[in-house]
Amino acid sequence: MGLFSRGKQSGRERRAMKDHLVELDDLRRKHLSELGAMTVEMADTGRFDRARLSEQAREVIGVDREADLITRGLEEGLTLEELEDLARGEDEPATDPGK
Amino acid sequence: MRKGALKKKQRQLEELHLDRREALGELVVGMYVQGSWDDEIMSRGAAEVREVAEELKSLDLPAGRSSEKSGDQDFPVTGEYTAEHDLPATGEHTAEHDLPATDEHTSGHSLPESGEPTAPHETPATATRSREYGAAGPKSAGPKSAGPKSAGPKSSPTKPEPVAPAAAKTASAKAVASEPGADRAPGSKTGAAKPSPGSQPEGAERPLLSKSGAGVRPDPIAAEPQQKLSELDQMAERIDRSQSAAKTAAEAAKAAAAADARTELSAITREIESDRGKLDSALSEAAGRIASAEKRATEAEARLARESAANREAAADWVRSQAAEIEADAALAAEIAAGSEAAGAAADASGDADRPELEARIKSLETALDAEKASRAEALTIAESRLKAIEQSARDAEKRVEEAEAAAASAGDATARGTPASTAATEAQAREAAVVWLRGQILALRMEIAKGETTGAGDDS
């Protein structure tokens, strides 16, 4: 593929991306676990604070986006600079579905 | 129950708890993404998480107590074997094995009436065992009496929530800090539900820790502790079942997630391939357009070169023609100058510039007049010859008329000399016809002659 490729992805970059992907996976699980615990607490009180839930869900979605980007970089063999350009291109303000 | 098995179950329950929490988090994220919040679904998910958490806590409490005591003794007070011990020589079964055919006592069954020990090793003090049952009984009965499994989030407000932390604090203060399961006790509602038996376990623990008092008390191995023991095993079996169900569900979820990932990956791959195909076709189309544009540019260049060459040639021709005209003008000027010298100095003095043109016009007019005269003379010649021909034909016609009249006269003589009447009539008709024809001929000849004369008069004029 390499539609956006200007250079070649080095092995170090690839390893860094893989490591970062693992970190992001751990972070995602952590956020999800926190979100679940928060939901249980709110269920105990009988009132769900959607603002807090949305905030935590946004963090999970942010981690998902970053993981998708890294996955794309690994699949398309992008360099870190290209990945950064791509991230800046995709970093446009999105609508908040939770509100 | 064995200590290792308990730890294993605890670990698995912890994993299940974590999985359910993550699943609940995923659910909330999905609701956030779709923008449709459903409190009921969230409550149900929270209830499932809470169910596992309570099972985990209910497992933690007996484990903590039993390990607390088994830490001081070689074998657990229930008489079960743990991972630290070898299997008994008698082949005694534990909770992980099927029931023995020999009716040997296991932890899942009531102790034999005789109180005869089944373990080959040293028989624990009967008082110890009874105290242990007494200590473990309320703990194991705690979750069941509280009914946490059936109790959802709506039933939870009925529980004394503010009491829980205080009771938990006391429970945690009593618990041994080295036990890993003990740190879960503070948040547990089961810990809050058992404040009353708290005094009895303390009293029960004393004989456990001091072996000297083992033989002092009588052996009251009765049906109640045995039943509580079996309840503990039932709870363990229930945990096993829920654990296996959770494991199955987790595996199914993993398989579904993997299938979803594969499907998504294949969809993305197909999309990329289609995009790639579109890109290739667009590139090939663009290449074709570029090639055609280059071809057109080449043709335009060649046409431009040809046109510029033709233009240069035309310009050279024009220049040559201009030069020829200039030369002709110069020659004419020289001639005019020579003519004017011959004409005289007067004309030179007057300097009439229109004279050559007038002379040329006169010459052209004279030439045209001569040509007209020649054509008129030719026409006259033609008309004269035609007139002569007409006159000759008229004379021939008159001659034929005369011959016909002569013939008619001779025929009249012959009739007079006695020819038949029919022949005479026929000859008369023939003569009449010849006369008519001759008259017509003569008339035509005269008209032609008149026409020729009219033409000649017009030419003369």
Side-chain angles (χ1 to χ4, degrees):
Chain A
M1 261 176 272
L3 292 174
F4 300 94
S5 288
R6 294 196 295 262
K8 191 181 176 185
Q9 187 185 51
S10 66
R12 180 175 291 180
E13 285 175 329
R14 194 166 185 80
R15 273 195 301 278
M17 285 184 196
K18 282 182 180 175
D19 292 344
H20 190 47
L21 207 55
V22 171
E23 289 171 2
L24 284 175
D25 189 39
D26 292 342
L27 187 63
R28 183 179 193 274
R29 293 192 65 179
K30 184 186 165 196
H31 282 324
L32 281 177
S33 181
E34 287 173 0
L35 183 56
M38 189 187 293
T39 309
V40 172
E41 284 176 9
M42 289 179 185
D44 287 341
T45 59
R47 182 180 166 277
F48 291 101
D49 187 356
R50 291 179 184 171
R52 283 181 63 201
L53 292 176
S54 298
E55 188 180 351
Q56 189 73 18
R58 269 197 296 275
E59 288 185 8
V60 175
I61 288 171
V63 173
D64 280 348
R65 276 190 180 180
E66 192 173 350
D68 289 344
L69 192 70
I70 299 293
T71 306
R72 184 175 174 184
L74 279 171
E75 285 177 354
E76 297 185 0
L78 303 180
T79 63
L80 289 177
E81 289 180 357
E82 290 166 345
L83 210 58
E84 190 179 349
D85 293 344
L86 202 62
R88 282 180 181 159
E90 287 182 354
D91 198 16
E92 53 194 10
T95 57
D96 192 354
K99 288 185 179 176
Chain B
M1 187 178 289
R2 292 191 320 174
K3 185 181 173 185
L6 269 177
K7 282 188 177 176
K8 185 181 172 188
K9 286 185 196 317
Q10 183 181 351
R11 195 168 52 248
Q12 288 172 342
L13 270 180
E14 282 173 358
E15 287 177 3
L16 179 64
H17 184 229
L18 200 59
D19 285 345
R20 287 201 175 177
R21 269 169 57 178
E22 288 177 3
L24 182 58
E26 290 271 14
L27 182 71
V28 174
V29 170
M31 286 182 185
Y32 168 73
V33 169
Q34 292 181 353
S36 62
W37 298 96
D38 193 339
D39 292 352
E40 191 180 348
I41 295 176
M42 284 195 288
S43 297
R44 270 188 281 171
E48 288 182 2
V49 176
R50 198 182 301 113
E51 182 183 349
V52 179
E54 286 175 0
E55 280 189 14
L56 186 61
K57 285 165 194 166
S58 66
L59 183 68
D60 284 346
L61 282 174
R65 295 297 173 99
S66 63
S67 64
E68 214 174 281
K69 290 148 196 166
S70 65
D72 298 333
Q73 296 179 349
D74 288 340
F75 58 92
V77 291
T78 57
E80 277 185 359
Y81 285 89
T82 62
E84 285 79 20
H85 298 77
D86 291 329
L87 280 174
T90 58
E92 186 179 16
H93 287 267
T94 62
E96 285 77 30
H97 296 80
D98 291 331
L99 283 173
T102 57
D103 292 329
E104 271 183 331
H105 167 66
T106 64
S107 59
H109 296 75
S110 299
L111 286 171
E113 289 288 328
S114 62
E116 161 183 328
T118 56
H121 45 66
E122 187 183 1
T123 307
T126 53
T128 304
R129 184 169 290 183
S130 68
R131 293 303 177 194
E132 170 58 23
Y133 291 150
K139 287 172 196 166
S140 61
K144 290 191 179 181
S145 61
K149 284 197 174 185
S150 60
K154 290 178 182 172
S155 63
S156 61
T158 60
K159 294 177 183 176
E161 289 286 343
V163 180
K169 280 177 187 173
T170 57
S172 62
K174 288 173 187 173
V176 180
S178 62
E179 179 60 32
D183 57 356
R184 295 186 180 275
S188 68
K189 289 170 185 168
T190 56
K194 54 175 181 54
S196 56
S199 59
Q200 191 171 351
E202 282 183 3
E205 280 170 7
R206 258 178 249 128
L208 277 174
L209 295 173
S210 62
K211 286 185 180 178
S212 60
V216 176
R217 296 199 176 199
D219 186 6
I221 298 176
E224 188 182 354
Q226 290 168 9
Q227 189 178 355
K228 286 175 182 174
L229 180 64
S230 66
E231 284 177 356
L232 189 63
D233 289 335
Q234 284 174 3
M235 189 178 70
E237 287 174 5
R238 199 175 61 245
I239 290 170
D240 281 340
R241 280 199 301 274
S242 65
Q243 190 178 356
S244 62
K247 194 180 287 180
T248 310
E251 286 174 358
K254 280 180 185 172
D260 287 346
R262 278 197 296 273
T263 308
E264 193 176 357
L265 185 62
S266 61
I268 291 169
T269 308
R270 279 197 299 275
E271 191 178 349
I272 288 170
E273 284 176 357
S274 65
D275 288 345
R276 200 175 179 180
K278 285 179 187 173
L279 187 65
D280 289 341
S281 62
L283 283 174
S284 60
E285 192 177 348
R289 284 181 184 171
I290 289 169
S292 63
E294 284 180 352
K295 190 178 176 183
R296 279 201 299 272
T298 309
E299 288 174 357
E301 281 180 1
R303 194 167 60 242
L304 187 63
R306 284 197 301 273
E307 285 178 357
S308 60
N311 286 336
R312 279 198 300 273
E313 189 66 28
D317 289 343
W318 182 79
V319 168
R320 279 195 292 272
S321 66
Q322 288 296 314
E325 283 183 6
I326 289 167
E327 286 176 1
D329 287 344
L332 188 61
E335 271 183 39
I336 289 168
S340 61
E341 283 177 3
D348 292 337
S350 65
D352 192 1
D354 293 330
R355 188 166 183 170
E357 292 180 2
L358 287 172
E359 284 179 356
R361 184 169 178 80
I362 289 165
K363 278 183 183 176
S364 66
L365 288 172
E366 284 176 355
T367 308
L369 188 61
D370 290 338
E372 197 172 353
K373 281 180 181 175
S375 64
R376 191 179 294 173
E378 187 179 0
L380 282 173
T381 307
I382 292 168
E384 280 175 359
S385 61
R386 191 170 180 183
L387 187 59
K388 282 178 184 173
I390 289 168
E391 286 175 349
Q392 183 62 36
S393 64
R395 278 195 293 273
D396 290 340
E398 285 175 354
K399 198 180 285 182
R400 283 199 296 274
V401 168
E402 285 173 357
E403 286 174 356
E405 286 176 350
S410 62
D413 291 340
T415 304
R417 278 194 301 268
T419 53
S422 60
T423 308
T426 306
E427 287 178 354
Q429 287 177 356
R431 277 199 302 274
E432 188 67 27
V435 167
V436 170
W437 180 80
L438 283 171
R439 282 176 184 165
Q441 289 294 317
I442 289 164
L443 186 61
L445 284 171
R446 281 177 182 167
M447 284 178 69
E448 283 188 4
I449 289 165
K451 197 186 285 181
E453 287 174 353
T454 310
T455 309
D459 292 341
D460 290 338
S461 65

